Amino acid sequence: MGNGIWKLHARASLREAPDGDGGILLDTFNAAICSCNGTAWTVLKAMQKGAKVHQIVAKVRKDFEVDKNDAERDILAFIRTLRSMDLVDGG
Amino acid sequence: MADRIRVALTGFAGLDTPEPGTGVAQALRKGSRGNLEIVALGYDTWQTGAWLPGLVDQIVVLPPLASGVYSILEKILEIHEKTPLDALIPNLDLEVPLFTRLKPQLEKAGIQTLLPTQESDFSINKTSLARFCYTHDILSPNTVHVTDLEEIPMRADHMGYPLMVKGSVAGAAKVDNSDLAQLEATVLHAKWGGGVLLQNCIDGDEYVVAMVARVDGSCLGMTPARKLGTNKFGKAVVGSVVNAPDLEKTSLEILAKLNWRGPLELEFIRSRVSGQYYLIEINNRFPSWIMLSAYAGSNLPVALLKEILNPGQRRCQKPKVGTSFVRDVRDFAVSSAKLRELERHGNIEITTQPNRTRRNRKRKGAVVGVTGISAFEEVLAGCGVAESLRRVPEVSCLIGLVYGPFDTAAYRNNTFDVIQQLPGKDDADKLLDRLLSIRAKSGLDVIIPCVDFEIRRFFDIREALENENIKVVLPSQKAFEARSKERLFLKKVNRDWGPLQIPQATTLRKKGDLKIAMENQGFPLTLKCETSSVHVTLNAHHALSVFRQLRDDGHESIVAQPFVHGEEYSFSAICADDHSVVEGVLIKKLCKNETGKTWGATCVDNPYLQDSLSEFLKHLKWTGPVEIEMIRDFQNDRFVMIEVNPRFPAWISFTRSLGINLPQMALRMALELDNRSPRQIDRDRIFMRSCTTPPADPMDFAEIATRGILNHGS
């Protein structure tokens, strides 16, 4: 995984849940819907404008109590999943 | 559309495979500002979509298509003479070439259309499409047209399985072996003629594109969507607008090769392996899901009508991506006098306004949970029960209990206050835990189970629920077992039930039993299981195919009975603790779908039969709701019992229209409230059902799928 900027692809559309706890990621290309918890939502919002991994980690650690290494490992795994779905560019 | 416009549409029938006219009319209605009159044209009185309250202004019965183009033209010109029509939009495949032929006469009379040429239309019909795709280098699955049905097994084996068998006009089935291929081909050929098409299956997701082409063949608008859920007929029940540039590009390239005018639908499968779009079908009309274009802000029927009246319209805006629909049903009642008027005069004016009712907030009453609220494959009884309980004073909160996000009535935000997901089909303990957790969070006083497969599970947990003060509206388990098909039809009941007849049956445990049943009972032969549809088989080959299929589907108990010819009746009632019938309604089925489900009915009065049914229920020691289905044998006029269902039927909301709301009465019984006020049946009512395509929010799918709850109340 590169150290560059990760940005959500234009085909990914984000909709926040009415109660503000997470939301859904809609892949507009195939209408696939992914439900996201609060942590995933923070990562996706960070990537909407584009962000480096360390910036995303900082955002997540600001909102959630999590160890830096655990956060980085989980965020990288999440980015890998998004990349396999063609929903993220960069790195 | 500034001035008053009067448009004639066809395609309001089709029941559970709805013709597109209903959706087109709804889209036009949504896009008009009260300046539109819609005339529904059809071929019989049971165009149930046209009867939807507030949809059309006039219904007209045309002569059958087989009577020829000029008798249809004559009827249309007769209507036109009385109240002029501005435009005509045909919505059925077979009508498009016919109206293309009539175009000069219609336009001369002042009725505008936008239709393809006969050559364009012919090039895309189901039997010509493979050639069109080959000629224009369009990717499509291997397809052969077989006119000699004896060749089906050989051709099917040669192509390999799974395989699609398609009718020459409509209808399709996926098959896995030559027996099924032969069976489906026989059925489709008998219905549509012209042989069948065999088409290789492409593994992938289904995409559909609705389009309108201007008179010069250019694209006026398009709505691309993905089918998220398809029923057993392959019809889209859930769909969502997508933003797929390569799909749009492919569609525009195909349109350019078609030289098309007017509406059309392209159907594709996107290969899971290559990601390429395979064209599987082109339809010469709008699809039945066309309301999606209106929800997405790119109303194609409105665009078409504008183009018909003023050619050269600007391209429609792009549809809003993610906009979704769910196919649901709406039950309603119409005046029997109006139906009779249409039958006798072939033409009626409709003045009904749509019902605009809102849920009451902050009511006093019980919290009631209803299961079986789906019309995905067939309309389940919970849909009708919920409509019967909507806004009744005894209910403060109506909970829809679903098994997944595609339980289609879950999105009726005017009916349910909240939707709660139940666990899968097998585990009674998990079901109990879930119901108790719902009770702890939002309260739950009464549950009305409405799906056959879940009823045994509810028996398992009934006592535990009642210990928690949750009432379950069900018969006793003993009565439930006594009405099972094996017990009911195989046990000799030495009793005269008057006009009611309980037929004998044979249990089929192995192939040899079927052979004996066929020899003894002949054909048509009915094969039934405890929780599946009835299959009427016509010959030994057919019976064997169905028997194998039922066994493969895991049905252990199959019974065979001689088929009885006659009109179908259904009796729904509720029985008190002393097993007497508190109230019951007897209906005659006037309109059924292909699986025999009721889509049109009238209430009938037959005290002699109703007394016998009451006696029979007392004999079974029944309590709570029940439905008894019967056929009136045309030879001896006796009412032959087909089935006893331990729940309300799907048509039950009709009892509310008649003035004796049976689910409300059952609820009152469960709440130990008095039910004795006298009731008058309003007999001038006919039950009807039509498909509708309400909008749905992808967020709501996700809420149900992941959180198991969808709140309509706030």
Side-chain angles (χ1 to χ4, degrees), chain B residues 258-310:
Chain B
L258 278 171
N259 187 29
W260 199 259
R261 291 197 299 239
L264 81 158
E265 180 197 21
L266 309 179
E267 296 190 38
F268 297 92
I269 292 186
R270 184 171 184 259
S271 165
R272 223 179 291 282
V273 179
S274 66
Q276 289 177 297
Y277 291 97
Y278 284 74
L279 180 69
I280 54 168
E281 209 160 294
I282 301 182
N283 295 310
N284 57 4
R285 38 120 186 114
F286 280 129
S288 58
W289 52 265
I290 195 62
M291 260 306 273
L292 182 64
S293 73
Y295 297 138
S298 178
N299 194 325
L300 295 184
V302 167
L304 171 67
L305 184 57
K306 284 182 177 171
E307 180 69 14
I308 289 173
L309 299 173
N310 294 300

Side-chain angles (χ1 to χ4, degrees), chain A residues 10-11 13 15-24 26-37 41, chain B residues 205 207 226 228 240-247 270 277 320-323 697-699 701-703 706-707:
Chain A
R11 72 188 238 191
S13 165
R15 295 260 315 270
E16 191 167 358
D19 60 5
D21 181 16
I24 60 164
L26 176 70
D27 183 349
T28 61
F29 181 73
N30 58 17
I33 301 163
C34 306
S35 189
C36 309
N37 63 14
W41 194 249
Chain B
D205 297 322
Y207 287 80
R226 183 181 153 204
L228 296 177
S240 197
V241 174
V242 294
N243 176 23
D246 49 348
L247 175 64
R270 184 171 184 259
Y277 291 97
K320 191 179 166 213
V321 174
T323 310
D697 187 335
M699 181 70 86
F701 299 146
E703 288 282 297
T706 59
R707 300 185 192 202

